[in-house]
Amino acid sequence: MNVLLVTVDSLRADRVNSRVMPATRSFADGALEFTECIANGPSTPASFPAIHASRYFASIEGLGIPPAEGDDDVRTLAETLSEAGYATAGYTDNHFASGSYHYDRGFETMYDAGGRAEAGRLKQFVQSNLEKDGALFKTIEAAYNRADALLAGATGTDSEYERAASLNDRALEWIDERSGEWFAWLHYMDVHHPYEAPDAYQRRFLDEPLSLARCRELSRKGTHHPEDVTDEEWDLIRGLYDAECAYADDQFEALLGALRERDLLEETVILFTADHGELVGEHGHAGHPPEFWESIVRVPFVLHHPDRDAAVVDGQIRLLDAAPTIADAVGRAPFDGWQGASALAVADGDVDAREYAFGDVGRRVEYGRCCARRADGWKLLRHDDGEFCFDVTESPAEEPADDRSGDVPECDELSRALDDHQERMRRLREGGSIGVAEDDRMVEEHLRDLGYME
């Protein structure tokens, strides 16, 4: 049985619907759909240790995962399948999900579009030299956006990242050359800000398509200066986000169609998921700040298995369960050090939903931002501005008036569980695996490339 893992950066679970992503909605209707999958972090660096290595981000010192040499505590899904005889290949255009952070472990072929040469280096030069603080930056922001768009035109790219269609082509070319079982991972970046879908997709959700410069201006404003975004601009940002989701939907459908034409669809286990979600105006932000609102941590998790009937599974699972689930789906034993477990056991009713889903984020905040979400929907968030507790089944918008912290016993229980989790993570960091240091200059450059820093 072949394996295909498709991860879509920044895709909210609620966008897998018949209006925005009808093909993916149809795929989910014919597969095992887990409606309560929780990301173990609000960003790519926080989520991908969970996806590829079934490890909490906070259990590893630094970013990414350790290099393969000398580390027996971490094992990736690709390594597990490679040792079982699978050919393996990965396709990504996100620095934080690339070989730079050791996610090439177990992949015979690793295509990292984010490292593709002069365009990225030139863009980094422009960003670094235009970096300014506060009001001064705002005065030159329009010029920056025009320069950014001109750079894209000069380098022949109409998108910040390599498009999903291109990654599909690369992966299918590799698949066509395989004769035995294979594992392919594709990470689509189209839905990540800046939202700059092709005009045809923008027309589905906006009165008229916006220029590349305007798309990037709105993205920068929403992520770095959200207090300045008008109601009309929030509507534009939401439309642009939905347009990117629709584009990703078409490309996922095209990939499935290509596998069907090759008579491979019914010989392939397919997991469709996302590393985290996105804010498009909720809580006064765009993008995915290091916080744990439902729009950021709820992600799609859809498993197609040729030998399993379609079903909807409402029990809570976590991205931490992705690698064990795929291994279980193809009859491979999980690695002893994986911190998640197969979600198939939840689907089959053999075990209860995961009682807790924890999320962490580091990057110079000493892992102080974190969350715990209980299977019944009670949730505790620790952000810079305090601790909040919600029953998201009753109050999914998580508005300040819905905060029950210090008011109900559920919050005390969640606080104790989160304290215990953080203490376990601290012990693991101090005694175990080491990734890329968070103060490494490469980390800051990659954060700038992805738009997290001005």
Side-chain angles (χ1 to χ4, degrees), residues 294-338:
E294 286 291 278
S295 298
I296 296 179
V297 300
R298 284 279 304 283
V299 294
F301 193 99
V302 181
L303 184 76
H304 161 82
H305 193 298
D307 298 331
R308 281 182 168 264
D309 294 333
V312 175
V313 184
D314 293 326
Q316 178 171 273
I317 64 167
R318 311 141 309 176
L319 282 182
L320 201 68
D321 301 324
T325 299
I326 290 175
D328 187 14
V330 295
R332 304 297 171 184
F335 173 57
D336 286 344
W338 283 349

Side-chain angles (χ1 to χ4, degrees), residues 158-175:
D158 64 350
S159 171
E160 187 86 357
Y161 311 106
E162 182 159 341
R163 285 288 186 192
S166 177
L167 296 186
N168 283 354
D169 290 343
R170 295 180 189 279
L172 289 167
E173 182 179 1
W174 177 83
I175 288 170

Side-chain angles (χ1 to χ4, degrees), residues 380-443:
L380 187 81
L381 304 84
R382 289 178 182 162
H383 293 165
D384 283 350
D385 51 352
E387 188 169 285
F388 308 93
C389 186
F390 301 99
D391 178 357
V392 295
T393 60
E394 296 292 333
S395 308
E398 300 170 293
E399 297 291 347
D402 302 323
D403 180 20
R404 304 296 301 277
S405 56
D407 185 31
V408 293
E410 286 84 357
C411 299
D412 293 335
E413 179 186 335
L414 282 163
S415 186
R416 289 192 296 271
L418 189 50
D419 287 343
D420 290 345
H421 167 75
Q422 287 196 292
E423 177 60 21
R424 289 195 304 273
M425 297 302 102
R426 184 191 63 78
R427 291 198 301 268
L428 286 167
R429 287 197 305 275
E430 290 180 351
S433 303
I434 300 174
V436 176
E438 293 194 18
D439 59 357
D440 191 298
R441 183 174 180 178
M442 176 183 71
V443 174

Side-chain angles (χ1 to χ4, degrees), residues 176-427:
D176 286 341
E177 296 172 353
R178 309 275 76 79
S179 57
E181 291 180 317
W182 49 261
F183 166 45
W185 163 54
L186 287 80
H187 185 60
Y188 292 167
M189 281 295 291
D190 307 88
V191 178
H192 190 285
H193 60 76
Y195 319 127
E196 45 194 22
D199 287 358
Y201 293 90
Q202 291 192 38
R203 288 191 181 95
R204 295 188 194 177
F205 302 95
L206 302 176
D207 292 337
E208 58 182 7
L210 305 182
S211 68
L212 191 62
R214 179 60 169 152
C215 290
R216 295 185 179 182
E217 175 194 4
L218 285 168
S219 174
R220 214 162 272 119
K221 195 172 181 180
T223 53
H224 298 301
H225 310 293
E227 69 281 358
D228 296 334
V229 179
T230 66
D231 290 344
E232 180 183 4
E233 287 175 328
W234 280 124
D235 287 340
L236 291 174
I237 287 171
R238 281 186 283 271
L240 289 170
Y241 178 76
D242 287 349
E244 288 286 25
C245 292
Y247 172 82
D249 182 62
D250 275 0
Q251 300 316 311
F252 182 55
E253 181 181 36
L255 181 60
L256 295 178
L259 293 178
R260 187 178 293 108
E261 290 173 0
R262 290 162 169 78
D263 293 326
L264 291 173
L265 192 59
E266 295 310 308
E267 298 178 7
T268 305
V269 168
I270 302 170
L271 177 59
F272 178 92
T273 188
D275 54 350
H276 53 79
E278 191 85 336
L279 297 179
V280 283
E282 300 89 348
H283 308 287
H285 278 281
H288 39 279
E291 299 175 350
F292 298 88
W293 309 110
E294 286 291 278
S295 298
I296 296 179
V297 300
R298 284 279 304 283
V299 294
F301 193 99
V302 181
L303 184 76
H304 161 82
H305 193 298
D307 298 331
R308 281 182 168 264
D309 294 333
V312 175
V313 184
D314 293 326
Q316 178 171 273
I317 64 167
R318 311 141 309 176
L319 282 182
L320 201 68
D321 301 324
T325 299
I326 290 175
D328 187 14
V330 295
R332 304 297 171 184
F335 173 57
D336 286 344
W338 283 349
Q339 294 169 342
S342 174
L344 294 179
V346 178
D348 294 338
D350 296 333
V351 300
D352 293 333
R354 311 301 186 219
E355 183 178 9
Y356 291 106
F358 297 105
D360 305 276
V361 63
R363 179 75 188 158
R364 302 176 182 171
V365 294
E366 300 300 325
Y367 304 93
R369 297 173 186 157
C370 51
C371 82
R373 191 181 188 279
R374 216 168 66 175
D376 59 1
W378 278 97
K379 178 181 173 187
L380 187 81
L381 304 84
R382 289 178 182 162
H383 293 165
D384 283 350
D385 51 352
E387 188 169 285
F388 308 93
C389 186
F390 301 99
D391 178 357
V392 295
T393 60
E394 296 292 333
S395 308
E398 300 170 293
E399 297 291 347
D402 302 323
D403 180 20
R404 304 296 301 277
S405 56
D407 185 31
V408 293
E410 286 84 357
C411 299
D412 293 335
E413 179 186 335
L414 282 163
S415 186
R416 289 192 296 271
L418 189 50
D419 287 343
D420 290 345
H421 167 75
Q422 287 196 292
E423 177 60 21
R424 289 195 304 273
M425 297 302 102
R426 184 191 63 78
R427 291 198 301 268

Side-chain angles (χ1 to χ4, degrees), residues 39-41 44-61 64-66 71-77 103 105 319-324 335-341 358 360 421 424-425 427-435:
N40 296 107
T44 299
S47 286
F48 264 96
I51 294 172
H52 276 303
S54 191
R55 285 289 297 255
Y56 286 107
F57 164 73
S59 73
I60 297 172
E61 183 66 36
I65 57 177
D71 191 294
D72 297 326
D73 295 329
V74 173
R75 175 80 60 82
T76 67
L77 174 65
Y103 290 113
R105 288 181 54 170
L319 282 182
L320 201 68
D321 301 324
F335 173 57
D336 286 344
W338 283 349
Q339 294 169 342
F358 297 105
D360 305 276
H421 167 75
R424 289 195 304 273
M425 297 302 102
R427 291 198 301 268
L428 286 167
R429 287 197 305 275
E430 290 180 351
S433 303
I434 300 174

